[in-house]
Amino acid sequence: MNLKRTSAALAACMSIVLLSACGSVNGGSSASSGTGSKDLKPSDMTMVTVVKLKGIAWFDRMEVGVKDYAKRTGIDAREEGANDVSPEKQIQIIQDLIAQKPTAITVVPNSPEALSNVLAQAKAKGIITISHEATGIKNVDADIEAFDNADYGQKIMKSLGTCMKGQGDYVQFVGGLTAKTHMEWVGAAYDYQTANFPGMKRVEDPIESTDNEAAAYQKAKEVLAKHPNIKGFEGSAGNDVPGIARAVEEAGLTGKVCVMGTSIPSAAAKYLANGSIQKIFFWDPALAGQAQLEAARIIATGGKIQEGTDLGIEGYHHLTKLKGYDNVYLGDASIKADAKGTKKHTFHPPRCGRPTPPHPMERIECLDHSTTRSAHPPLGGA
């Protein structure tokens, strides 16, 4: 069946949702215990992936994966998202979807805490809930992470510290202070820096970019003016690193200031090529989108998500249960690349009609923007 967004406005509920959270880590009874039906056919299932923000390269790429998953499996799957990163808009989208009773809602939350209550409402209606980038979120059947967030943050700092030769001032950017994974990355990176690079100093608390490349650019300019001896920038949202690099390049500091963090090659390639970015860290959003959907399908058909589960997707062949959580499962999907390495992973969403990309990670169904939206910003964010 095809779902359509309803127009019901439930503004009165939003403030309650934002101020409350309920349920255990697993949100009570969980479909991950195998409560689905083995007889459920793909044609009977509908799944919607709700992303942080539509119209940016990161989630364009995730939409490519969602569309490909729908084509391969016969499940009616699609992606939805708002035009900014406010948790309220994600809540409204999920509220609208609950009334339509899809088989599953998968979500990449802007604020895991804010979404807890609305996800409990979805579960109460028998809807399977799967999250990504949301370690510890309440009221989901499973949270599928691309990797261990602390390890990822440490990897970024190891490279940044090496680039800075262990000396000098640096700052960290996050898409939002409520973006749990971003805060986990920069927190782990900061802890690693203090323990291993004592000659480095973080001169600001994490700076919020709102997942906006122009905002990251402006705030990087402010940092450069305020801290003329700055030697390093770490970005968390995919828009952070290109925005920072633009400011660094314009200031004539290419090669003198280290710029690293999360982005994807399509967003960062220009600045990697000219040396304004030294290295990026990422995972394939298309495969992450498919991993969420496959986890939902397994549960819907009576299976379980558990230690060792193979989702049949690159980077998610042997899930590891995260210690301290009863529903968080890690893949091994992280990638790091410099200018040369990104040539293996230039997976900007291929437009329909282009030749099939040569790299396996790009062999995913094209994204036809003529039928999805007329225009969108060119850069992406995690």
Side-chain angles (χ1 to χ4, degrees):
M1 61 179 173
N2 291 311
L3 297 178
K4 295 182 178 179
R5 292 274 308 279
T6 66
S7 60
L10 298 172
C13 295
M14 286 186 188
S15 60
I16 297 173
V17 170
L18 288 170
L19 293 173
S20 63
C22 62
S24 64
V25 175
N26 251 349
S29 61
S30 171
S32 62
S33 60
T35 58
S37 171
K38 293 181 180 180
D39 298 325
L40 191 62
K41 299 177 181 178
S43 58
D44 295 328
M45 289 186 268
T46 302
M47 300 183 184
V48 184
T49 298
V50 180
V51 298
K52 293 181 179 180
L53 177 66
K54 286 283 276 186
I56 60 174
W58 190 275
F59 292 115
D60 276 355
R61 175 63 181 176
M62 186 169 284
E63 187 173 17
V64 169
V66 170
K67 286 176 175 284
D68 180 68
Y69 185 85
K71 182 176 180 180
R72 288 191 293 103
T73 64
I75 294 171
D76 179 11
R78 73 167 192 272
E79 178 179 290
E80 290 204 17
N83 59 0
D84 63 40
V85 295
S86 70
E88 293 91 341
K89 289 186 178 179
Q90 277 195 315
I91 291 166
Q92 184 64 68
I93 290 170
I94 295 172
Q95 285 278 13
D96 291 347
L97 291 171
I98 289 171
Q100 301 167 52
K101 295 196 71 174
T103 309
I105 295 173
T106 73
V107 61
V108 189
N110 286 308
S111 170
E113 293 79 12
L115 265 60
S116 175
N117 205 28
V118 74
L119 291 171
Q121 295 171 29
K123 285 175 63 63
K125 295 292 185 180
I127 299 168
I128 294 165
T129 55
I130 305 291
S131 61
H132 176 62
E133 291 192 61
T135 304
I137 190 172
K138 292 178 169 59
N139 302 316
V140 297
D141 294 303
D143 177 63
I144 306 298
E145 298 294 320
F147 39 70
D148 180 271
N149 287 320
D151 180 65
Y152 183 75
Q154 290 168 8
K155 286 180 179 178
I156 295 174
M157 183 51 66
K158 286 177 185 178
S159 291
L160 183 63
T162 300
C163 179
M164 292 175 60
K165 298 180 172 59
Q167 300 292 323
D169 297 342
Y170 75 99
V171 293
Q172 297 172 310
F173 279 42
V174 294
L177 298 177
T178 62
K180 186 173 179 64
T181 51
H182 292 190
M183 296 301 290
E184 288 179 343
W185 301 340
V186 298
Y190 177 70
D191 290 344
Y192 188 88
Q193 175 265 303
T194 56
N196 296 277
F197 298 113
M200 292 171 59
K201 180 182 178 182
R202 188 177 74 176
V203 294
E204 301 269 357
D205 289 336
I207 298 168
E208 191 172 34
S209 69
T210 66
D211 242 346
N212 183 287
E213 190 244 348
Y217 163 70
Q218 289 295 338
K219 292 190 177 186
K221 287 179 64 176
E222 293 170 9
V223 169
L224 290 168
K226 184 177 178 181
H227 303 285
N229 294 321
I230 200 81
K231 295 299 180 184
F233 287 85
E234 175 189 347
S236 300
N239 278 322
D240 292 349
V241 180
I244 293 165
R246 178 184 166 196
V248 168
E249 181 185 31
E250 288 183 0
L253 295 172
T254 297
K256 299 177 182 179
V257 174
C258 298
V259 179
M260 296 185 185
T262 303
S263 192
I264 57 175
S266 59
K270 170 185 173 181
Y271 299 107
L272 281 161
N274 67 23
S276 298
I277 298 172
Q278 285 71 40
K279 194 172 293 184
I280 59 172
F281 300 76
F282 56 100
W283 65 104
D284 188 345
L287 300 181
Q290 293 190 6
Q292 296 170 74
L293 294 167
E294 180 60 13
R297 186 201 66 78
I298 289 171
I299 295 170
T301 53
K304 297 179 180 180
I305 303 301
Q306 56 193 359
E307 180 86 18
T309 293
D310 182 357
L311 297 180
I313 296 165
E314 183 178 355
Y316 304 87
H317 283 301
H318 185 92
L319 296 182
T320 302
K321 192 172 183 180
L322 182 61
K323 186 177 180 179
Y325 298 91
D326 59 0
N327 67 342
V328 180
Y329 297 91
L330 311 177
D332 184 20
S334 66
I335 304 166
K336 66 177 178 179
D338 55 14
K340 182 178 180 180
T342 54
K343 294 178 182 179
K344 300 177 182 178
H345 305 292
T346 51
F347 50 67
H348 49 77
R351 299 314 193 254
C352 297
R354 290 183 181 177
T356 300
H359 191 268
M361 294 181 73
E362 287 203 53
R363 291 174 191 158
I364 294 179
E365 182 68 14
C366 65
L367 178 62
D368 187 352
H369 282 293
S370 67
T371 61
T372 56
R373 66 183 72 87
S374 59
H376 59 288
L379 297 178

